[in-house]
Amino acid sequence: MIFKKKIDIGKGKELLSRYRISDVHTHILPGIDDGSKDTEESVRLLTALSEQGIDTVVATPHYYPTEKSPDSFLTLRDNAWELLSEKLTESLPRVKLGAEVLYFRGISRMESLERLCVQGTKTLLLEMPSDLWSEYILREIFDIQRSRGIDVVMAHIERYMQKQPSSLFNQLLTGGVKMQINASSLTGKQGKKLAKMLSDGMIHFIGSDCHNMTTRAPDMASAAATVAAYAGEEVFAMLSKSCGVYFG
Ligand SMILES: [Fe+2]
């Protein structure tokens, strides 16, 4: 018989709030990508995150290099932010602007890369290709880190792990690359394994990657409760440190 751990969502909320864990991956800006469709939905998403104990949210709309120039993306992002900021209240989480940037060949030489980092930081949320990563790709990741001084955070790393050799992750971690997983993966079948990776320091951030209030709603509290059940509260001190170092 398989015994499942009891998941206490109230405990999850309390830990997120006590350790001031940020949600580092969200699509809460209205009308810019496949996330929130309008300001009302954005406010509902932020309200849900606030109720789950989150006080800082990084807005990371998709940046697809083949679709837009950085300038036009940033103009659209500023417009979306202007619309949303008029609706924000004291009780909602503070929002920092960022982007979820899709890797492309030549990204390490992209002039505007720093402008796509999380506001006030040199931290870049990077979405990786879903197939096997070549040596060239790895070299570019390390170039971004070393030549540009940008800290790479790989988005929802659990999506790619199976397809890459395990030695590659050690190589990336040794090179200082940080890893983010989605809250929804923690509450799924991989939960126990991912919680162990968090406690082993192989994963540094949790993000809701929320897009809407129906099919991809934020569920940070359940994720936090799962981490607490499988890996203990000590993990939150580590997550808190990552959030503090990278997102202030
Ligand atoms: Fe995303």
Side-chain angles (χ1 to χ4, degrees):
M1 188 185 285
I2 297 169
F3 292 98
K4 279 197 84 176
K5 291 267 188 186
K6 191 173 177 303
I7 304 303
D8 178 351
I9 294 178
K11 181 73 179 169
K13 289 181 190 177
E14 190 270 316
L15 288 166
L16 288 171
S17 166
R18 180 166 22 124
Y19 287 94
R20 305 198 64 196
I21 307 298
S22 306
D23 184 352
V24 301
H25 183 166
T26 70
H27 298 269
I28 53 117
L29 287 186
I32 184 169
D33 61 3
D34 58 343
S36 167
K37 62 182 183 312
D38 52 34
T39 50
E40 285 69 28
E41 186 162 42
S42 300
V43 169
R44 284 198 293 275
L45 286 163
L46 287 169
T47 303
L49 284 164
S50 171
E51 287 168 358
Q52 289 169 30
I54 300 289
D55 73 358
T56 301
V57 169
V58 187
T60 53
H62 289 287
Y63 174 72
Y64 296 127
T66 53
E67 289 181 7
K68 288 182 187 76
S69 68
D71 279 341
S72 57
F73 170 80
L74 292 168
T75 301
L76 285 172
R77 194 185 68 177
D78 286 348
N79 293 343
W81 170 237
E82 204 175 309
L83 284 174
L84 177 58
S85 52
E86 287 169 12
K87 307 274 180 186
L88 296 183
T89 58
E90 283 283 300
S91 62
L92 293 175
R94 68 175 175 154
V95 177
K96 287 187 158 221
L97 300 178
E100 180 181 7
V101 178
L102 181 64
Y103 170 85
F104 62 96
R105 202 174 168 88
I107 189 172
S108 60
R109 298 183 297 282
M110 181 193 192
E111 254 181 42
S112 308
L113 199 54
E114 283 80 359
R115 294 166 66 206
L116 299 175
C117 288
V118 180
Q119 192 179 357
T121 75
K122 284 191 86 179
T123 299
L124 184 75
L125 184 67
L126 190 65
E127 182 176 15
M128 294 297 288
S130 54
D131 49 3
L132 184 69
W133 305 339
S134 64
E135 274 299 316
Y136 180 87
I137 291 179
L138 291 189
R139 267 204 308 279
E140 278 220 288
I141 302 301
F142 290 131
D143 269 356
I144 294 172
Q145 298 247 129
R146 291 167 192 162
S147 309
R148 307 282 294 258
I150 291 173
D151 295 309
V152 172
V153 176
M154 287 193 172
H156 36 59
I157 194 71
E158 72 278 18
R159 287 192 194 168
Y160 323 115
M161 281 190 312
Q162 313 294 354
K163 293 178 186 155
Q164 317 301 328
S166 56
S167 58
L168 181 143
F169 282 95
N170 291 332
Q171 212 180 325
L172 289 168
L173 289 167
T174 306
V177 173
K178 299 287 187 280
M179 306 294 175
Q180 177 258 316
I181 54 169
N182 281 2
S184 57
S185 301
L186 273 163
T187 56
K189 278 187 287 189
Q190 294 189 83
K192 188 177 175 185
K193 177 181 155 194
L194 294 173
K196 169 91 170 67
M197 289 177 73
L198 276 160
S199 69
D200 288 344
M202 296 171 78
I203 295 168
H204 312 88
F205 301 101
I206 302 174
S208 67
D209 199 5
C210 60
H211 282 63
N212 54 51
M213 284 301 292
T214 51
T215 53
R216 296 187 71 178
D219 199 4
M220 291 291 280
S222 301
T226 306
V227 173
Y230 285 115
E233 292 188 18
E234 313 80 70
V235 176
F236 289 86
M238 291 161 68
L239 285 171
S240 176
K241 197 170 168 207
S242 301
C243 290
V245 168
Y246 286 89
F247 300 101

